[in-house]
Amino acid sequence: MMRNNLLKVFHAMGIFKYSAIPQNAGPGLNPRTDRSSCDRSSAIVRPDPCNHGTTELNTPCADYEAWVAAHPSALSSFDHMMSVAKEKRIVVFLDYDGTLSPIVDDPESAFMSDKMRLAVGKVSKYFPTAIISGRSRDKVHQFVQLNDVFYAGSHGMDIMAPPRQQKSCDGKYQTRAVDEKGNEAIIFQPAQEFLPEILEIFNELEEETRSIGGVTIEDNRFCVSVHFRRAQEEDYSIIEQKVLSVLSKHSRFHLTRGRKVMEIRPSIKWNKGHALEYLLETLGFADLSDVFPLYIGDDRSDEDAFKVICKRGQGFPIIVSSKPKDTRASYSLRDPSEVLSFLLRLARWRRNSSTSKPVT
């Protein structure tokens, strides 16, 4: 009651948009208590001249508290969350940058801590665990250095998974391989035909931005990222013009935006949400009614995965943010340090639980 009154007060003042929690969250769920369904709230935003979109304001503490009322802390809500999930088969999905590692100026220095690596390793012992990142699959594996997790790079356009029979994906995008443990695996790459043009785009972007300080062009194999976090703010519009100029020469590609990064990607119907569905299928869980995906991410691209969980009607989409933002997530964590605490607690809960159902 107090939470709802607080939200209505902010709504009346015109500084926070309050939307009712949806009632049709799926069979057997009460979204007002279980929160494994997905409600949406709107953050206070202002135009970003380089982004042509929105960015969060440095809002007062009260605004963040109101946002957290709609997206409760996954740490504070942990016991309740596990009471909902204890009879389910939990599958863990994680973003990398901003989730397992802090956002840094140099994308090549986005290292995860040893403590985080240990936490992810512990979680992967108890639950199937996958990392879905915009980075190349090889780069993510280089950062994470764990062989008991599944990796999906390039926003899910490059996945290494177990060799199971597929029902929904074209076999021509799959090749057989051997993983780091010597086991047979399948590499799924639905954007293979774009590779030559992606190399052209990478070279063109490097040439176009060579004279602009603080710009890093990253080859993520199936997409190209333009990082400008270290650039001067007065150069943002020039960087954008350069990127759009290159994009105009490649009609089969489109532009997406993140935090101080622009990405050119192939225009195919594939994103992190599709990657989540693909991994559930290859792991043999697609048709099981008790599978409970848990996804933690901080970026706009993670919203596609949150959307899939919402559509399934059960699971936990968790946003990592210290500021109010529009999201489909049901729960929140402030930063990677809270992600670390959550993962350690999840592993400890599973170890100590005699009633939760392990995924086999």
Side-chain angles (χ1 to χ4, degrees):
M1 179 68 69
M2 182 178 297
R3 184 187 74 188
N4 290 338
N5 289 339
L6 178 62
L7 289 172
K8 290 177 181 178
V9 168
F10 278 101
H11 176 59
M13 294 172 64
I15 62 175
F16 192 85
K17 295 180 181 178
Y18 173 76
S19 58
I21 300 175
Q23 300 298 312
N24 57 346
L29 292 175
N30 181 349
R32 292 191 180 274
T33 56
D34 289 343
R35 294 197 63 83
S36 61
S37 58
C38 306
D39 49 68
R40 301 195 59 181
S41 302
S42 297
I44 303 171
V45 295
R46 61 172 166 78
D48 180 345
C50 184
N51 208 7
H52 288 315
T54 57
T55 184
E56 301 90 346
L57 282 174
N58 292 321
T59 53
C61 183
D63 297 334
Y64 180 72
E65 290 176 356
W67 182 80
V68 170
H71 310 282
S73 165
L75 289 175
S76 301
S77 308
F78 184 85
D79 290 339
H80 176 71
M81 292 169 68
M82 293 305 106
S83 71
V84 175
K86 66 180 180 180
E87 298 297 332
K88 308 296 183 181
R89 300 174 185 265
I90 297 175
V91 185
V92 178
F93 297 91
L94 303 166
D95 178 36
Y96 183 76
D97 291 276
T99 300
L100 300 181
S101 73
I103 298 295
V104 295
D105 290 343
D106 181 4
E108 295 299 314
S109 300
F111 302 111
M112 66 190 300
S113 67
D114 291 338
K115 289 182 179 180
M116 183 68 83
R117 183 173 295 104
L118 179 64
V120 176
K122 286 182 177 181
V123 167
S124 68
K125 289 181 180 179
Y126 297 117
F127 310 101
T129 302
I131 297 175
I132 306 178
S133 172
R135 303 279 193 139
S136 70
R137 178 168 52 84
D138 291 342
K139 173 63 73 174
V140 178
H141 185 269
Q142 178 183 332
F143 280 141
V144 178
Q145 300 176 22
L146 293 173
N147 294 334
D148 291 329
V149 303
F150 303 101
Y151 294 91
S154 303
H155 299 283
M157 288 183 283
D158 187 6
I159 303 174
M160 179 174 280
R164 290 180 180 266
Q165 181 67 38
Q166 302 305 306
K167 293 186 292 186
S168 61
C169 299
D170 193 335
K172 72 180 182 179
Y173 299 133
Q174 302 178 66
T175 57
R176 293 194 173 271
V178 177
D179 65 18
E180 292 79 6
K181 299 169 65 177
N183 298 322
E184 186 178 6
I186 290 291
I187 296 178
F188 178 71
Q189 298 172 331
Q192 290 176 3
E193 65 180 280
F194 295 90
L195 283 175
E197 196 168 358
I198 290 171
L199 180 58
E200 291 178 17
I201 292 172
F202 175 81
N203 291 332
E204 290 170 12
L205 286 171
E206 280 212 319
E207 181 63 30
E208 287 290 331
T209 62
R210 193 181 306 277
S211 62
I212 306 175
V215 178
T216 300
I217 310 300
E218 184 178 13
D219 179 2
N220 287 317
R221 188 160 173 75
F222 290 97
C223 58
V224 181
S225 300
V226 181
H227 300 272
F228 54 93
R229 185 171 294 274
R230 294 185 295 174
Q232 297 296 316
E233 188 170 354
E234 56 264 28
D235 289 333
Y236 287 1
S237 61
I238 299 174
I239 296 168
E240 182 180 44
Q241 292 171 15
K242 298 286 188 181
V243 173
L244 292 176
S245 175
V246 170
L247 179 63
S248 68
K249 305 173 188 176
H250 302 275
S251 60
R252 300 194 301 166
F253 290 77
H254 68 280
L255 183 68
T256 61
R257 305 171 189 270
R259 289 189 286 179
K260 300 293 176 63
V261 61
M262 291 179 280
E263 291 184 321
I264 294 182
R265 303 187 204 172
S267 295
I268 64 172
K269 191 177 180 180
W270 197 264
N271 55 43
K272 289 185 176 183
H274 295 104
L276 184 152
E277 292 176 314
Y278 177 89
L279 283 163
L280 286 179
E281 186 172 309
T282 58
L283 291 170
F285 303 142
D287 298 326
L288 301 180
S289 61
D290 61 348
V291 171
F292 206 85
L294 183 157
Y295 190 107
I296 306 177
D298 76 305
D299 194 66
R300 294 179 185 179
S301 60
D302 298 310
E303 293 293 329
D304 294 316
F306 295 164
K307 183 178 181 180
V308 168
I309 295 178
C310 292
K311 184 178 179 181
R312 289 179 62 87
Q314 65 178 8
F316 291 142
I318 304 173
I319 185 75
V320 182
S321 180
S322 60
K323 297 179 180 180
K325 61 169 60 175
D326 190 26
T327 180
R328 293 181 175 89
S330 299
Y331 292 92
S332 65
L333 294 166
R334 289 183 64 93
D335 51 38
S337 68
E338 288 200 353
V339 175
L340 171 64
S341 297
F342 181 87
L343 293 178
L344 288 172
R345 194 168 177 183
L346 180 64
R348 185 167 59 249
W349 170 81
R350 176 62 188 91
R351 184 190 65 202
N352 295 336
S353 174
S354 60
T355 59
S356 62
K357 184 185 298 184
V359 178
T360 58

